[in-house]
């Protein structure tokens, strides 16, 4: 009868269990690497995460192989750990860790219901990279836990999409020349000196003594204020009489008065 590798391993495990007489219990494999899901191609096809080069674990009782399983890594930390079936009894086993020489092709994340993921994977020559011993005790589940041994090639399948191009760099802003402090100080001093000189000149300018403070201050208060109230009192003197008052002409005092004694 031609059995697949998984079926043959299960048959060997059942035979060994029947020979030993102990019940088979699932034992977890701790520390299995996590390979998250990824996308490939221009259509961003979702794929299942897995190791590029799977690892095989063979449990031997002396020279007799009890079970053998292929580990491809967990897809997330929430996925349950892989397990192997071991008898609940006092025993000592040899764990043989080997890595496949062939890459395992990535699988689609979602599969149709009528499609069975039964494609056989050809591991090729598996190179043993580590051997351990496992001592189990009957009734002690913790003693049957298996610790994963890291392989030489621990790469996971990853996205093959091209990396996003970085945004274009902004043009560099040229550095503006800094003002010369030594040149600015003399200019400021010159401006300050000119301002001080102007202020000093304005304060030292003499006031025009001939200019009246008030345009009306030197003007006569009344054009007729200096004139004699009596026109006769201010009669001009005779220039030829040595300044004597010139006698009025006859009839000049009162042209309309009638002389007395007439």
């Amino acid at each position: 009868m031609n059995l697949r590798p998984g079926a043959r391993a299960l048959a060997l495990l059942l035979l060994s269990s029947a020979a030993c007489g102990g019940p088979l219990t699932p034992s977890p494999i701790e520390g299995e690497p996590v390979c998250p899901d990824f996308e490939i191609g221009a259509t961003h096809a979702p794929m299942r995460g897995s190791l590029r080069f799977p690892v095989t674990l063979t449990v031997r009782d002396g020279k007799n192989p009890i079970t053998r399983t292929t580990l491809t890594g967990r897809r997330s930390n929430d996925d349950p750990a892989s397990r192997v079936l071991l008898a609940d009894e006092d025993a000592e086993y040899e764990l043989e860790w080997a890595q496949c020489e062939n890459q395992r092709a990535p699988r689609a994340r979602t599969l149709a219901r009528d499609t069975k993921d039964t494609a056989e994977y050809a591991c090729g020559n598996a190179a043993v990279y580590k051997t351990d011993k496992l001592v189990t005790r009957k009734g002690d589940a913790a003693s049957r836990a298996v610790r994963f041994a890291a392989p030489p090639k621990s790469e996971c399948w990853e996205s093959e999409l091209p990396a996003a191009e970085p945004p274009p760099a902004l043009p560099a802003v040229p550095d503006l020349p800094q003002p010369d402090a030594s040149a600015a100080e003399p200019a400021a001093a010159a401006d300050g000196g000119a301002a001080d000189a102007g202020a000093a000149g304005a304060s030292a300018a003499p006031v025009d003594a001939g200019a009246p403070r008030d345009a009306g201050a030197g003007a006569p208060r009344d054009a007729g204020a200096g004139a004699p109230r009596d026109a006769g009192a201010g009669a001009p003197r005779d220039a030829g009489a040595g300044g004597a008052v010139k006698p009025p002409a006859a009839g000049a005092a009162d042209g309309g008065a009638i002389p007395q004694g007439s």
Side-chain angles (χ1 to χ4, degrees):
M1 181 174 58
N2 186 13
L3 298 176
R4 289 181 300 174
R8 289 196 297 271
L10 180 59
L12 290 174
L13 178 62
L14 294 176
L15 291 175
S16 175
S17 175
C20 297
L24 298 178
T25 57
S27 301
I29 300 176
E30 301 175 348
E32 188 178 1
V34 176
C35 294
D37 294 347
F38 61 99
E39 297 177 347
I40 61 173
T43 59
H44 297 244
M47 309 300 289
R48 294 171 177 265
S50 65
L51 291 170
R52 285 179 176 267
F53 298 90
V55 171
T56 62
L57 169 62
T58 302
V59 180
R60 299 179 182 275
D61 183 4
K63 294 182 179 181
N64 300 321
I66 296 176
T67 185
R68 184 174 183 268
T69 185
T70 301
L71 305 173
T72 60
R74 294 185 298 159
R75 295 168 58 191
S76 70
N77 289 321
D78 297 332
D79 284 354
S82 300
R83 298 175 183 271
V84 292
L85 295 176
L86 296 176
D88 182 16
E89 61 181 3
D90 295 335
E92 182 175 337
Y93 301 102
E94 182 180 288
L95 306 179
E96 185 179 85
W97 300 92
Q99 188 165 33
C100 299
E101 65 174 352
N102 298 329
Q103 293 191 42
R104 185 176 187 271
R107 296 174 296 168
R109 187 185 308 172
T110 56
L111 299 174
R113 293 184 178 180
D114 57 349
T115 302
K116 295 182 179 180
D117 187 18
T118 58
E120 292 292 339
Y121 163 68
C123 177
N125 294 325
V128 177
Y129 62 89
K130 188 175 183 181
T131 56
D132 292 326
K133 288 188 178 297
L134 179 66
V135 178
T136 62
R137 294 181 295 275
K138 186 175 182 179
D140 185 1
S143 66
R144 294 189 299 274
V146 178
R147 186 68 184 174
F148 183 84
K153 300 177 182 179
S154 58
E155 299 88 358
C156 298
W157 282 106
E158 296 179 354
S159 175
E160 298 177 356
L161 298 177
E165 296 182 359
L170 298 176
V173 179
D175 296 335
L176 297 178
Q178 298 295 331
D180 191 357
S182 60
E185 290 178 0
D191 293 343
D196 294 342
S203 60
V207 179
D208 189 0
R213 295 184 179 178
D214 188 354
R221 297 181 180 179
D222 188 356
R229 297 182 180 178
D230 190 356
R237 297 182 180 183
D238 190 359
V245 178
K246 185 178 180 179
D254 187 1
I258 300 175
Q260 296 179 1
S262 58

